[in-house]
Amino acid sequence: MSILLTGGAGFIGSHTAVELINAGYDVVIVDNLSNSNEKVLNRIKTITGKYPKFYKIDVSVAEDLCKVFNENNITGVIHFAGFKCVPESTKIPLKYYRNNLDTTLSLLEVMNKYNCTAIVFSSSATVYGDKNPVPFKENMPVGGATNAYGRTKLMIEDILTDVAVASTDFSAVLLRYFNPIGAHPSGLIGEAPDGIPNNLMPYVTQTAVGVREFLTIYGTDYNTHDGTGVRDYIHVVDLARGHVAAIKYATEHTGVEAINLGTGNGSSVWDVVHAFEKANNIQIPVVIGKRRPGDIDECYASVDKAAKLLGWRAELTLEDMCKDSWNWQKKNPKGYED
């Protein structure tokens, strides 16, 4: 019995592969390597002692995906595959709608063909929009996403819900993550963004390693304790372990559950910068820029549901995230291209 990871060679997917293998699962990864690197597979083997089975395919191509299901006994799927750059999604939305929806529809059709009924979906806190008060709770209304990326997540949540209504043996866990950072403590796998990073920590570590001259903080006039935006940063290893708990839940239950994965605590941009400097004894040069459109003041999770249904809580600290991020970056200043 194997767990299929679509987009499994990426940042979160690779860490999830490690945790699944460590938990005794067989892992099959499919990835077109559009924003990842095949070298991660050998590093997963170094960490776990086991090389995950890998197919270089595009998940939107059903015929190729059928080959994977033909050759493996897939009992559950964790669906990471999709474009994820928020600023890019506002500039070329059709690219995001086409890719993120097509991959999901093809995957669900193939799962149906092979009677695979359990899926964990990589959703996002962006589905809560900008009107709900913090902390965000799963029973809050969703909608009002401020970008095409977030709207594709909403649409896919709706698609999975409709499938579950139509198929009573179907199980979908919608994992709404907050802000994953950090890296595996070995320093062998971590976040290696292709081009412009999508979140704060790679900017911090790239500044620390000298790839960037300075870190730009976009806005210091937010309604927060220090004027910078507050987010719920979660260690990617904690996040990966949440996926292990979620796929176990999905294979044992039916229906749809939306579940937040976060720490339940908000940290500002300045909090992260100061924590990184203290944890690693490094000074980060900073310049102040203008606020970016669409950024909200605060975003952090209510995490009670994850504890109740999955038996999972985040355990690693902001200091751990900062140390592990820097350990990865200084060992891999060019990501997987060294």
Side-chain angles (χ1 to χ4, degrees), residues 6-7 34-35 79-85 96 99-100 103 149 153:
T6 71
S34 65
N35 192 26
H79 183 32
F80 296 108
F83 294 144
K84 63 178 183 177
C85 180
Y96 277 69
N99 181 75
N100 293 5
T103 53
Y149 161 78
K153 295 296 186 182

Side-chain angles (χ1 to χ4, degrees), residues 68-241:
V68 177
F69 277 78
N70 273 325
E71 295 179 359
N72 301 276
N73 182 16
I74 305 295
T75 56
V77 177
I78 303 180
H79 183 32
F80 296 108
F83 294 144
K84 63 178 183 177
C85 180
V86 169
E88 183 184 59
S89 80
T90 65
K91 296 175 182 176
I92 42 176
L94 289 179
K95 174 182 176 180
Y96 277 69
Y97 288 115
R98 172 63 71 186
N99 181 75
N100 293 5
L101 297 180
D102 278 2
T103 53
T104 302
L105 293 171
S106 293
L107 173 63
L108 289 172
E109 288 168 352
V110 173
M111 286 177 66
N112 183 61
K113 179 177 179 179
Y114 288 88
N115 197 32
C116 179
T117 59
I119 186 170
V120 172
F121 172 53
S122 169
S123 191
S124 167
T126 58
V127 302
Y128 291 110
D130 58 359
K131 304 300 182 186
N132 287 309
V134 290
F136 293 158
K137 299 179 180 180
E138 292 88 346
N139 61 358
M140 286 178 169
V142 294
T146 58
N147 52 75
Y149 161 78
R151 280 186 279 275
T152 66
K153 295 296 186 182
L154 276 168
M155 290 178 179
I156 294 168
E157 286 198 7
D158 287 342
I159 290 167
L160 290 168
T161 300
D162 286 343
V163 173
V165 170
S167 306
T168 56
D169 61 344
F170 187 77
S171 176
V173 177
L174 316 175
L175 292 182
R176 296 171 178 169
Y177 336 140
F178 283 68
N179 291 70
I181 59 174
H184 193 270
S186 66
L188 288 170
I189 59 175
E191 188 168 13
D194 183 14
I196 299 173
N198 297 321
N199 53 55
L200 172 63
M201 187 56 78
Y203 282 105
V204 174
T205 59
Q206 288 179 7
T207 303
V209 83
V211 172
R212 296 179 182 277
E213 185 180 353
F214 52 80
L215 170 72
T216 301
I217 294 180
Y218 293 101
T220 55
D221 58 346
Y222 289 93
N223 185 25
T224 62
H225 66 275
D226 63 15
T228 63
V230 167
R231 299 293 181 266
D232 189 338
Y233 295 96
I234 177 173
H235 199 298
V236 66
V237 172
D238 273 334
L239 189 68
R241 291 169 181 163

